[in-house]
Amino acid sequence: MNLTPTEIDRLLIFTAAEHARRLRAHGVRLSHPEAVALLADEMLLDARKGLAYEAIVDRAARLLTAAEVEPGVPEMIEFVSVEANFEEGNKMVIVFRPIAPADAARPAPGEIVSPDAEIELNAGRAAVELDVTNTGDRDIQVRSHAHFFETNRALRFDRALAYGMRLDVPSGSGVRFEPGLRRTVTLVPFAGDRIVHGQAGLVRGRLDDPAVRAAALDAARRAGYLGA
């Protein structure tokens, strides 16, 4: 028997769904992949049985309850989509939020719960402001984690002052510098062990080691980072 990739995928979904049905029959809560497999399998089966699109979606939305899955699973499943076989051909069937959360007030997995008051970023850090000009011919983006001293050499600013510093912005964000424009940014010192490796290769070690700082400044000078 030769199976196409689509048929192999269908059997995989069926096997995972059968496992989910067995767990469900024994009163075991389903994990995220088990719940998705069960929903997908039932949707594909309903399409083969000739149910209309709306009926398939309606049934899938009522198939599982929050009590039948692990905590957090309802919030993790934003939608389930399958390419189902209908008499008129294959169509994508999508059901959104198929499992209603048991407690809408409970935080979702990965959700950030913050106080109502404003949170000061990098509170207590000694900050400096720098004027930065992009002398290049294209945009340059610097991310929050980057050692600003070692950023693109087309950026002109007081690099010695930026040694051991990073952007004072939320983690994962950054600042874009457009060609020919000057922009003022705020920098804060790195925290933790203050050890830097990689980046532009100018710093290799502890930022507070005088020898490391001297070597970094010399390397920056020779590589053209300190040019006018």
Side-chain angles (χ1 to χ4, degrees):
M1 179 175 64
N2 295 321
L3 298 175
T4 66
T6 299
E7 291 167 334
I8 293 174
D9 288 343
R10 181 67 185 94
L11 288 176
L12 179 62
I13 293 172
F14 171 76
T15 302
E18 282 293 284
H19 173 64
R21 291 186 185 97
R22 183 182 183 189
L23 292 175
R24 190 186 187 194
H26 285 275
V28 179
R29 289 188 169 203
L30 304 183
S31 66
H32 174 269
E34 292 160 353
V36 171
L38 179 58
L39 290 165
D41 183 68
E42 291 292 335
M43 292 166 69
L44 290 168
L45 176 60
D46 284 346
R48 286 291 298 272
K49 288 162 57 178
L51 270 67
Y53 185 102
E54 293 77 9
I56 297 173
V57 171
D58 179 67
R59 183 170 178 274
R62 294 182 289 105
L63 189 63
L64 288 173
T65 66
E68 295 176 299
V69 298
E70 293 286 354
V73 170
E75 294 86 357
M76 295 172 66
I77 304 178
E78 296 185 8
F79 64 90
V80 176
S81 63
V82 295
E83 186 176 359
N85 184 271
F86 294 86
E87 289 186 1
E88 62 271 24
N90 288 0
K91 287 193 297 185
M92 189 68 71
V93 182
I94 305 176
V95 56
F96 291 93
R97 292 294 182 189
I99 309 174
D103 183 5
R106 185 179 63 190
E111 181 180 356
I112 297 175
V113 180
S114 60
D116 294 332
E118 292 187 358
I119 300 175
E120 182 182 354
L121 186 66
N122 298 316
R125 299 276 188 91
V128 299
E129 286 191 349
L130 285 180
D131 289 335
V132 182
T133 302
N134 181 358
T135 64
D137 59 359
R138 64 194 65 187
D139 289 356
I140 297 174
Q141 179 147 342
V142 180
R143 307 299 294 172
S144 60
H145 65 278
H147 185 198
F148 208 79
F149 173 80
E150 301 185 71
T151 52
N152 195 305
R153 74 188 69 194
L155 296 179
R156 294 304 181 195
F157 55 92
D158 187 343
R159 289 200 181 251
L161 192 58
Y163 179 84
M165 312 285 277
R166 65 173 182 83
L167 286 168
D168 184 20
V169 297
S171 178
S173 62
V175 174
R176 183 179 297 276
F177 299 92
E178 298 178 351
L181 299 182
R182 184 176 65 182
R183 183 167 187 169
T184 301
V185 296
T186 302
L187 307 181
V188 292
F190 278 105
D193 292 335
R194 290 177 53 80
I195 298 175
V196 173
H197 288 283
Q199 306 272 332
L202 303 180
V203 178
R204 299 180 181 275
R206 293 188 177 277
L207 291 167
D208 299 320
D209 185 332
V212 172
R213 177 186 175 90
L217 289 170
D218 182 61
R221 190 174 297 106
R222 287 187 285 104
Y225 285 83
L226 301 182

